[in-house]
Amino acid sequence: MVYLEHGPEYGAYLITIAFYYIGGLGIILYGAYLNRNYLLKKEFKFTDIRGGLWPFFKRFLPWLLIGLLVWSVSAFKATDYYLSLYSFTMTETHLTSTEVFEDMKVDEFYRFDIEGIQKLGAPSSGLLKGYKLLDSKREGLIVRRVDQVVIAQGYLFLPVVKLHIYEVEGKQVKELRTAYLFYPQSPGGRLSELFDFPFEMFFWGGGGVGP
């Protein structure tokens, strides 16, 4: 089933997707455009500033860092929205795996096999959040099921999300596989591909279905 109480607000989802596809790159390109004269080595009257690659880079760097930060956070958050919608339970977002495991230990809805996760390997730092995916969908005579623990790892200043996917049997983690989501991949489309299960964003306020 889809856990609608875990889904985002309509506006928050649209803003995040806009930042992911357009905003981060737009900030970087706008910063380059504003400082183009330095790169073109045009003369600057009434100043001692000379154009060139280094003057351009010094003025472009803040725009680049802000754009990359927005890009990376929005990529992680967009992925989080889809995973949350199909997760029976989840942790908060943290910067270290220790904090993620602490959330798992006190989760009243599900007892995570933390020892099994640690044995197979887990990310140590980054933007981290753990999920318990639990759902099924009938397609004719075939029933497709999702039953995994996932730890999503976002990289600051990179529009990339690494997914640590732990296969679950009963209450125990048995196997680990990893996958990546890169810009400009659709978070919902990439997750659907990885799990062979339709990850869709339902706009329960407007009755539509997102990408």
Side-chain angles (χ1 to χ4, degrees):
M1 63 177 291
V2 177
Y3 301 91
L4 297 181
E5 68 272 20
H6 298 165
E9 295 293 332
Y10 181 86
Y13 171 75
L14 289 183
I15 290 172
T16 299
I17 291 297
F19 274 128
Y20 172 61
Y21 282 112
I22 303 172
L25 182 60
I27 292 171
I28 294 171
L29 293 177
Y30 183 65
Y33 174 78
L34 284 181
N35 295 286
R36 66 192 185 284
N37 287 341
Y38 291 94
L39 194 59
L40 297 174
K41 297 184 179 180
K42 290 191 175 182
E43 295 184 4
F44 294 87
K45 297 180 180 179
F46 310 113
T47 70
D48 295 327
I49 300 175
R50 293 184 178 181
L53 185 60
W54 179 242
F56 167 80
F57 181 75
K58 288 194 296 183
R59 286 157 180 81
F60 172 62
L61 182 60
W63 293 92
L64 176 63
L65 294 178
I66 293 172
L68 289 176
L69 183 62
V70 168
W71 216 352
S72 62
V73 172
S74 61
F76 176 81
K77 194 60 183 177
T79 306
D80 168 50
Y81 282 155
Y82 282 93
L83 288 172
S84 296
L85 196 60
Y86 288 85
S87 290
F88 175 65
T89 187
M90 69 203 78
T91 71
E92 296 295 327
T93 301
H94 297 289
L95 296 178
T96 67
S97 59
T98 301
E99 295 171 301
V100 173
F101 291 144
E102 287 298 322
D103 278 6
M104 290 181 174
K105 289 178 182 177
V106 300
D107 193 315
E108 63 185 53
F109 296 110
Y110 182 82
R111 187 176 296 278
F112 291 90
D113 181 14
I114 298 173
E115 185 176 330
I117 293 174
Q118 292 174 323
K119 184 177 180 180
L120 290 173
S124 58
S125 61
L127 290 173
L128 303 176
K129 187 169 181 176
Y131 310 83
K132 178 62 171 75
L133 298 184
L134 192 62
D135 209 339
S136 62
K137 182 179 180 65
R138 180 175 292 278
E139 297 178 355
L141 298 177
I142 300 175
V143 178
R144 299 193 182 279
R145 289 187 173 87
V146 175
D147 187 8
Q148 284 100 0
V149 171
V150 177
I151 298 179
Q153 180 183 21
Y155 297 89
L156 290 178
F157 304 110
L158 288 176
V160 178
V161 178
K162 184 176 182 179
L163 300 173
H164 303 255
I165 305 166
Y166 303 87
E167 301 293 336
V168 177
E169 290 184 15
K171 292 291 185 180
Q172 292 185 317
V173 170
K174 295 296 185 179
E175 183 182 348
L176 166 66
R177 63 188 174 108
T178 58
Y180 291 87
L181 181 146
F182 298 93
Y183 175 87
Q185 290 176 317
S186 162
R190 179 59 174 150
L191 291 172
S192 298
E193 173 188 322
L194 291 173
F195 292 95
D196 193 19
F197 189 91
F199 278 75
E200 299 172 334
M201 184 61 64
F202 291 86
F203 294 148
W204 46 96
V209 179

